């Protein structure tokens, strides 16, 4: 993890109360500009998402999609990503395009959009032709 996590309940509450939200059917992003120099990120998957296995998968997929777009030195922001019901059913490359759209809406710098960035995984991985199947 390149960014510092948001762990305390009052920190989440402050971002929810004072931050701006950006909504997508697969993900919600809360953004709050802070005075600090570091970016902090919180990942949330409520019981509405499903049981523990689905919530953990939602957090894992969100973390993979965020790592592709979030550069650790974008400035002082507190970001909270909230999973929705469809999140655990998506692949990380599908959620990556959602994160890119939310970053564009919020006006946050996107690491994947830089010219020196490696190609993003917004497309599904290419399948190899299996010679055993005909």
């Amino acid at each position: 993890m390149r960014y510092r996590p948001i762990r305390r309940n009052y920190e989440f509450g402050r971002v929810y109360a004072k931050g701006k939200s950006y909504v997508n059917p697969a993900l919600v992003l809360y953004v709050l500009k802070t005075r600090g120099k570091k970016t902090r990120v919180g990942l949330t998957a409520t019981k509405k998402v499903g049981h523990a296995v689905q919530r953990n998968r939602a957090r894992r997929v969100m973390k993979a999609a965020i790592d592709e777009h979030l550069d650790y030195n974008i400035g002082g922001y507190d970001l909270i990503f909230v999973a929705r019901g469809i999140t655990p059913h998506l692949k990380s490359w599908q959620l990556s395009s959602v994160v890119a759209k939310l970053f564009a809406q919020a006006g946050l710098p996107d690491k994947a959009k830089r010219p020196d960035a490696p190609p993003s995984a917004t497309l599904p991985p290419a399948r190899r032709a299996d010679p055993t199947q005909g």
Side-chain angles (χ1 to χ4, degrees), residues 31-113:
V31 179
L32 179 64
K33 179 77 173 146
T34 60
R35 293 186 205 170
K37 295 180 182 176
K38 303 261 184 170
T39 299
R40 299 186 314 163
V41 175
L43 303 175
T44 304
T46 64
K47 287 190 177 182
K48 290 180 185 178
V49 172
H51 54 82
V53 173
Q54 290 177 324
R55 293 194 305 268
N56 289 335
R57 173 167 168 70
R59 282 189 288 267
R60 233 182 5 256
V61 171
M62 283 192 298
K63 193 181 292 187
I66 292 165
D67 282 343
E68 189 174 317
H69 294 278
L70 182 63
D71 203 357
Y72 65 94
N73 59 358
I74 65 170
Y77 288 99
D78 282 351
L79 307 174
I80 295 179
F81 292 89
V82 180
R84 301 196 80 179
I86 195 171
T87 307
H89 305 291
L90 296 175
K91 304 285 185 190
S92 63
W93 62 268
Q94 293 170 319
L95 202 60
S96 180
S97 64
V98 172
V99 171
K101 289 177 188 173
L102 290 175
F103 271 33
Q105 283 180 347
L108 296 173
D110 192 348
K111 179 172 82 171
K113 300 276 186 202

